[in-house]
Amino acid sequence: ARVRAAGKLNARERIDYLFDADTFIEVGRFARSERPEDRESTPGDGKVCGYGRIDGREAAVVSHDISVKSASSSPVNVRKMAHVRRTAQANGMPLVLLNESSGARIPDTMGAAGTGGLGQDPQQFVRHREIPYVAAVLGPAYGTACWFTQLSDFVVMRKDATLAVSSAKVTSIAINQQVDAAELGGWRMQAEVTGKVDYGVETDEEAIDLLKRFLSYLP
C-alpha cells in the first residue's frame, strides 16, 4: 500500500510490465532470511528473481522488493541474484536490474557467518561482458543496487530516486558534514555530472519502456 501511495509499481508489478504475459518463471520464490526471527517477515527475502520473455526473447531479471526489509541485501538473496546472473550468462540472456534498495541488511551480514555468506561469490561485482546488463533506478539505490547499476550498459533513473554508495544520512554521519540527497546522488548529478545515468524519467513504466527499447536494438 505504501508503494502504491508513492505512485510506484511494486516489485512483481514491474516484472509483469517488463515481460510478455505469462512468461515469467520465478526462482527462489520461497527463500527467506536465515535469521529465525525474520523468517515470517521476509517473503522472497526482498529480491524477486527469474526469467521471462521480452518481445518473444528470453531475459533474466532481479527486481528489488522495497516492501521487504527495504530490499536490503543478505547472504540468502545475494545467492539468488548470483544464480540468476550465472544462468543468464550461460544461456546468453540479457540481465534486467530493477534497482531499489537500502543496502546491506546489517544483522544478517555482521559476524563471520554473515560476512562469509556474502563473500561466497567472489566475482559478484565483476563484469565479463558475455551478456548485456540494463538497469532502472526506481527509488533509493544503495549498496548492491548501486554496484549493479554501475556495472550496467544502459541506465534509466526516476527523477525522484537516489543512486549512491550509502544514503545521505549515513554519509553525513560518516563525514560529519550535512549532505543533501540530490547533490549526493540525484538524477541530475548522475546524468549530467558523473554520466552514470542515460535517461531521467518520471515513472516506473517510462523507465521499463526505455529498457525494453534498448534491448530491442540488440541482435
Side-chain angles (χ1 to χ4, degrees):
R2 289 195 300 270
V3 171
R4 188 171 294 112
K8 297 181 178 183
L9 302 177
N10 65 41
R12 295 180 182 279
E13 289 170 336
R14 289 167 177 169
I15 288 174
D16 289 342
Y17 192 85
L18 172 70
F19 286 135
D20 301 345
D22 301 320
T23 65
F24 177 56
I25 299 171
E26 186 172 351
V27 298
R29 180 170 188 168
F30 301 109
R32 293 177 182 271
S33 171
E34 291 177 333
R35 291 167 58 84
E37 61 269 39
D38 289 333
R39 293 191 62 79
E40 295 305 313
S41 62
T42 50
D45 206 24
K47 317 278 189 188
V48 185
C49 302
Y51 318 96
R53 291 182 179 272
I54 302 173
D55 296 329
R57 301 194 299 173
E58 292 180 339
V61 69
V62 174
S63 183
H64 292 68
D65 187 351
I66 198 73
S67 72
V68 177
K69 300 286 187 185
S70 298
S72 49
S73 297
S74 74
V76 171
N77 62 40
V78 164
R79 290 196 293 270
K80 283 177 60 171
M81 291 188 288
H83 173 76
V84 167
R85 190 173 61 257
R86 286 193 299 267
T87 304
Q89 288 179 198
N91 290 276
M93 293 185 286
L95 177 62
V96 180
L97 301 153
L98 305 178
N99 289 335
E100 184 178 25
S101 172
S102 63
R105 190 182 311 155
I106 299 303
D108 294 57
T109 57
M110 289 180 69
T115 303
L118 279 180
Q120 55 84 36
D121 182 9
Q123 297 194 0
Q124 180 181 190
F125 301 118
V126 175
R127 271 300 303 276
H128 296 293
R129 299 198 179 276
E130 294 96 336
I131 58 173
Y133 286 17
V134 297
V137 180
L138 302 173
Y142 309 124
T144 298
C146 177
W147 307 137
F148 279 115
T149 297
Q150 305 309 304
L151 295 176
S152 297
D153 303 294
F154 180 72
V155 178
V156 182
M157 183 174 177
R158 277 183 62 124
K159 292 181 180 179
D160 58 356
T162 307
L163 175 66
V165 174
S166 295
S167 70
K169 182 176 181 179
V170 171
T171 304
S172 296
I173 293 171
I175 67 174
N176 196 29
Q177 179 180 331
Q178 194 61 37
V179 175
D180 178 75
E183 294 179 359
L184 176 68
W187 81 274
R188 285 195 180 279
M189 166 65 77
Q190 299 293 14
E192 298 175 1
V193 179
T194 70
K196 296 294 185 182
V197 169
D198 297 293
Y199 283 91
V201 298
E202 302 289 346
T203 67
D204 291 4
E205 290 89 345
E206 286 182 83
I208 295 170
D209 283 340
L210 280 171
L211 298 187
K212 293 166 75 170
R213 184 176 176 183
F214 176 85
L215 291 174
S216 76
Y217 297 144
L218 303 183

